[in-house]
Amino acid sequence: GQNIDQPTEMTATEGAIVQINCTYQTSGFNGLFWYQQHAGEAPTFLSYNVLDGLEEKGRFSSFLSRSKGYSYLLLKELQMKDSASYLCAVRDSNYQLIWGAGTKLIIKP
Amino acid sequence: ETGVTQTPRHLVMGMTNKKSLKCEQHLGHNAMYWYKQSAKKPLELMFVYNFKEQTENNSVPSRFSPECPNSSHLFLHLHTLQPEDSALYLCASSQVYEGPGELFFGEGSRLTVL
C-alpha cells in the first residue's frame, strides 16, 4: 500500500531551527508538497519538490531525495506564528495526492 | 484569503437532516475537490471534479452527494449522516496540467452529527 510517515508532534524554541521529516512509499512519484495549517484555518501551500535537492524560500527550505523516499522541511529563525501543523503529500503515478497525517509543531518562547 | 470560500463554517445536524455545504473558487481553476479531515488522520479525498466532470469517487458512502454546476461552484449534499461523519470538510481547487498544480483550500466546514 501507499504510505507517508511524518512525526506526530515536535517542539522547538523561538529563534531556533527545526527539521520536519517525511518518508514515503508510493506507486510512482510526481512531486512532493508541503502545506502549513494553522489551527482552525485552511492548509496553505508552502513548497513543491519534483527533483532531488534543496528548494529555498525565505526562512523555509524543502529537501527531496527520490532514491531514499525522503523529504524534509527546514524552518529557520523560528517565530511564534510558525506554530502550526505541517502536512507532507506525494503525488503518485496516477496523479493522486497521498497525504501524511501531519506534524504539529509547537514553538516555545 | 485563499480565493476559495466555503459556507457554512460550522454545521450541526441530526442524523435525519438534509443539509448542503457550498464552495466557490475565484481563481479560475479547472479542478475542484472535497476532502474530509479528521483529527490525527491524513486528508481523505472524497470527490474530484476535473473540467466539471466527476473523475473520482473514492468509495464514499451514498449519504454524501456532490454537485458541480460549473467550474467555480461545488456542493456537497448531506443526508442521513452518522456520528462518525463528524469532521472538517475542506474544499480545494487547483489548475491541473499547469505547473505543480498545488491545491488552494477553503477554510473548511466543521460538521457535527448528533
Side-chain angles (χ1 to χ4, degrees):
Chain A
Q2 307 201 89
N3 193 52
I4 308 278
D5 285 316
Q6 48 181 133
T8 302
E9 187 174 299
M10 299 181 70
T11 303
T13 305
E14 190 177 16
I17 299 172
V18 71
Q19 178 176 309
I20 303 174
N21 295 325
C22 170
T23 57
Y24 62 90
Q25 296 99 35
T26 57
S27 302
F29 178 86
N30 278 296
L32 184 144
F33 297 82
W34 284 97
Y35 287 80
Q36 179 190 59
Q37 186 177 23
H38 286 101
E41 298 184 12
T44 55
F45 170 74
L46 284 179
S47 68
Y48 172 71
N49 295 71
V50 67
L51 299 176
D52 290 351
L54 190 68
E55 294 281 344
E56 297 186 76
K57 248 191 218 182
R59 294 188 299 114
F60 291 10
S61 304
S62 57
F63 172 82
L64 174 67
S65 169
R66 288 172 295 170
S67 62
K68 295 182 179 178
Y70 169 69
S71 172
Y72 66 73
L73 181 69
L74 191 71
L75 291 75
K76 302 176 185 176
E77 301 168 16
L78 286 170
Q79 302 175 9
M80 297 303 293
K81 67 178 182 180
D82 297 328
S83 292
S85 288
Y86 291 85
L87 312 180
C88 175
V90 172
R91 191 158 54 198
D92 69 10
S93 56
N94 293 318
Y95 269 68
Q96 299 301 308
L97 273 179
I98 312 302
W99 293 85
T103 298
K104 183 178 180 181
L105 178 62
I106 300 168
I107 309 297
K108 295 186 174 179
Chain B
E1 178 59 50
T2 64
V4 180
T5 305
Q6 286 186 244
T7 55
R9 293 293 308 278
H10 300 274
L11 179 62
V12 179
M13 58 188 290
M15 289 191 284
T16 58
N17 292 158
K18 290 184 180 180
K19 297 285 184 184
S20 295
L21 307 181
K22 178 183 175 182
C23 177
E24 183 175 0
Q25 59 103 354
H26 311 275
L27 301 168
H29 287 164
N30 56 18
M32 296 186 76
Y33 311 77
W34 280 115
Y35 277 93
K36 177 182 179 182
Q37 187 174 38
S38 303
K40 299 184 180 180
K41 293 176 68 175
L43 286 174
E44 298 175 48
L45 178 64
M46 300 176 73
F47 301 104
V48 179
Y49 279 84
N50 190 340
F51 298 100
K52 295 185 290 182
E53 293 182 354
Q54 184 181 312
T55 58
E56 293 291 334
N57 176 353
N58 292 315
S59 303
V60 178
S62 59
R63 56 186 184 268
F64 295 92
S65 173
E67 178 189 359
C68 187
N70 55 60
S71 58
S72 299
H73 293 85
L74 186 64
F75 295 89
L76 187 63
H77 303 299
L78 317 169
H79 63 97
T80 59
L81 294 191
Q82 304 298 310
E84 60 264 28
D85 297 322
S86 297
L88 181 67
Y89 289 85
L90 290 165
C91 174
S93 71
S94 71
Q95 187 67 11
V96 296
Y97 310 125
E98 287 184 27
E102 70 270 29
L103 297 177
F104 290 76
F105 286 90
E107 300 282 355
S109 296
R110 173 69 63 184
L111 173 65
T112 302
V113 181
L114 301 176

